Amino acid sequence: DAEITQSPRHKITETGRQVTLACHQTWNHNNMFWYRQDLGHGLRLIHYSYGVQDTNKGEVSDGYSVSRSNTEDLPLTLESAASSQTSVYFCASSESLGTDTQYFGPGTRLTVL
Amino acid sequence: GQSLEQPSEVTAVEGAIVQINCTYQTSGFYGLSWYQQHDGGAPTFLSYNALDGLEETGRFSSFLSRSDSYGYLLLQELQMKDSASYFCAVRAMIKAAGNKLTFGGGTRVLVKP
């Protein structure tokens, strides 16, 4: 069965370190998204991609970057982790044609000390 | 831009009916979606209203009124397993928005015995 996975599921790091969160989907979807979820803020879009070599900034992109070298993967990098980036991160994907249905990964809980 | 407002929390007993409202301010969107998220889990797609009116899927129904800038999710015959957070979301009807979703802040539903 097709799926979307994230790794690691839990990560503790220190302020200033570079961190990369992995997202891998086997749906063969062109669209992939990264969200962060904090209490009281719902899901906020960080970065997204509509295909290989395409990346776009979301509403809270400062301090984050993504790259899309193939259809299956969209890794999220925190260039220099800050305590304000402690959050739960979700990756999602959707089909190319206009759709409101996104499939979410299980999430990564990141703690920055 | 888009802005969606939901109540933060609703409590009800098993067997009851709960209505979760979603009011929005947006210049135009394709439809209103609803996602469910259990504690510690990932958001999962529940329903979608492209047109005004009621859509029914088992115990859950969703409603949209574009003229009133309002929608709701109706949970009937509440079960303990319905305890979760529920998010409304829209996809803006502008080319730049692509397949991005904007989420409301979420409503936490607590079902009591």
Side-chain angles (χ1 to χ4, degrees), chain B residues 1-24:
Chain B
Q2 293 79 43
S3 171
L4 298 96
E5 297 292 328
Q6 305 178 230
S8 59
E9 190 170 298
V10 173
T11 300
V13 297
E14 271 188 299
I17 299 174
V18 161
Q19 179 173 314
I20 303 169
N21 297 327
C22 176
T23 56
Y24 56 84

Side-chain angles (χ1 to χ4, degrees), chain B residues 59-72:
Chain B
R59 295 186 296 112
F60 295 178
S61 303
S62 56
F63 174 83
L64 174 63
S65 170
R66 291 177 185 266
S67 59
D68 295 322
S69 298
Y70 162 74
Y72 66 73

Side-chain angles (χ1 to χ4, degrees), chain A residues 25-95:
Chain A
Q25 52 97 4
T26 58
W27 293 94
N28 200 34
H29 287 163
N30 282 329
N31 305 327
M32 295 184 73
F33 308 86
W34 272 105
Y35 296 90
R36 61 175 290 173
Q37 186 174 38
D38 308 287
L39 281 174
H41 288 280
L43 291 156
R44 292 185 291 174
L45 185 63
I46 305 172
H47 280 286
Y48 58 101
S49 168
Y50 290 149
V52 176
Q53 303 302 329
D54 176 75
T55 61
N56 306 280
K57 294 181 178 181
E59 61 179 308
V60 291
S61 60
D62 287 349
Y64 304 93
S65 64
V66 293
S67 61
R68 188 88 180 271
S69 58
N70 58 53
T71 300
E72 295 79 18
D73 300 288
L74 186 70
L76 176 72
T77 297
L78 287 67
E79 305 294 344
S80 177
S83 57
S84 60
Q85 294 176 308
T86 292
S87 187
V88 179
Y89 292 85
F90 287 100
C91 178
S93 70
S94 70
E95 293 178 89

